[in-house]
Each structure stands twice: as structure tokens, then as C-alpha cells.
Amino acid sequence: MLFSKGFLGTSAPFYLDLATIYFAVLPFLLAFSIYLAVKKKYKQHFISQAMILITTLLIIVIFEIGIRISGGFLEYSKYSSISFEFMFIFLIIHILIAIIAVAGWLFLFISSYRAYKNNTFDTNKHKKIGKAIFMALTISSIMGICLYLFLFF
């Protein structure tokens, strides 16, 4: 099923359509979770962050397995009208931002949980790092959508 034709009407397989839709929605899910924290609903914020983080990691695993099996970027780029050199540089920047964003998110989630349990939680530091991670995840999501468009439209 993962490698069958996708549902967005392009030649992309199902797993790429799934990942693209998820990452298009991700910034809105994160914004809602942040809204919960702003409203001082910290438990709901924590639970929503855990659920979004786990779902994101699952989608990344599905995406990475699919890319490896299907031949990946090199295979898909053969059929694009966009310059390979441009797309390759764009891809490298996207990957770097995505790795930093997800690693930072994992770090913030785990360290914040530990700090909360140890009564050493620093709200200002958490907000500052959280804003940077939100921006990086949003930029990475937009860039991933752009790559999908470059490859399949």
C-alpha cells in the first residue's frame, strides 16, 4: 500500500503523499499545542507534544524506508523539469534544517520533562528554544512541500 499510487493526483507514491500532507498540517498542530501552553494548560500541552512528536517520528520512519526502497531523490528527480543542481542544494539545506529541528525538538521535550520533574524548569528558556524549534520545523515542512512540488508537478 505504501508504494501504490498516491491520493493527491500526482505520480508520487502513497507514502510521499501521506508525508507531504502530514508535514503541511504539522505547523498547525504545533501551533495548537503551543496555544495550550499559552492558556496554561500545561498537561495538555505536554500530552499533545508527545503525540505530535511520536507521530512525526513515525512518519519520518515511513518516509525514510519508502525513499530507500524506491530509489529516492535521484530516481524521482529524473522526471522533474526543475534543475537537478538547484533541487539538490535545496534538498541538502532542507535535510540539515530538518535534522536540527527534530533533534532540537527531542532534546527540548526530554530536557523539559526532566527539568519539570526536578523542579528546575525554566519557562523563559523553554519558550525561547521552543520558538526556534517551531520556526525550524515550519521551515522544514514548507521546504519538504516545495520538494514534493518540484518533483511531482
Side-chain angles (χ1 to χ4, degrees):
M1 177 171 164
L2 288 178
F3 298 102
S4 61
K5 185 164 174 53
F7 53 88
L8 293 178
T10 68
S11 61
F14 179 85
Y15 79 91
L16 278 176
D17 284 2
L18 176 69
T20 300
I21 293 299
Y22 178 75
F23 286 109
V25 173
L26 179 62
F28 300 100
L29 296 173
L30 293 169
F32 177 73
S33 180
I34 292 166
Y35 171 79
L36 292 173
V38 169
K39 292 297 181 182
K40 302 195 183 319
K41 296 180 178 185
Y42 301 123
K43 183 175 182 180
Q44 291 93 333
H45 171 67
F46 175 77
I47 291 168
S48 65
Q49 283 291 309
M51 290 173 33
I52 298 166
L53 179 57
I54 289 166
T55 304
T56 300
L57 293 173
L58 177 64
I59 295 291
I60 290 169
V61 168
I62 291 168
F63 171 82
E64 289 296 333
I65 290 169
I67 283 292
R68 301 296 178 264
I69 291 173
S70 67
F73 177 75
L74 291 175
E75 183 61 30
Y76 294 131
S77 67
K78 291 177 186 176
Y79 308 103
S80 176
S81 61
I82 306 290
S83 156
F84 177 81
E85 291 77 19
F86 168 79
M87 283 195 302
F88 185 72
I89 292 168
F90 194 89
L91 175 67
I92 296 301
I93 294 167
H94 164 67
I95 290 169
L96 291 173
I97 293 170
I99 289 170
I100 291 166
V102 172
W105 190 11
L106 277 167
F107 169 79
L108 183 63
F109 184 83
I110 293 166
S111 64
S112 295
Y113 177 74
R114 287 181 180 161
Y116 177 78
K117 286 293 188 185
N118 295 329
N119 285 332
T120 59
F121 187 78
D122 182 347
T123 304
N124 291 329
K125 181 179 174 184
H126 181 83
K127 285 181 186 179
K128 184 177 179 181
I129 295 170
K131 285 178 184 179
I133 291 168
F134 174 77
M135 288 304 300
L137 288 166
T138 300
I139 290 167
S140 178
S141 291
I142 292 168
M143 290 181 80
I145 293 164
C146 288
L147 282 164
Y148 180 92
L149 295 173
F150 294 160
L151 294 171
F152 300 107
F153 276 92

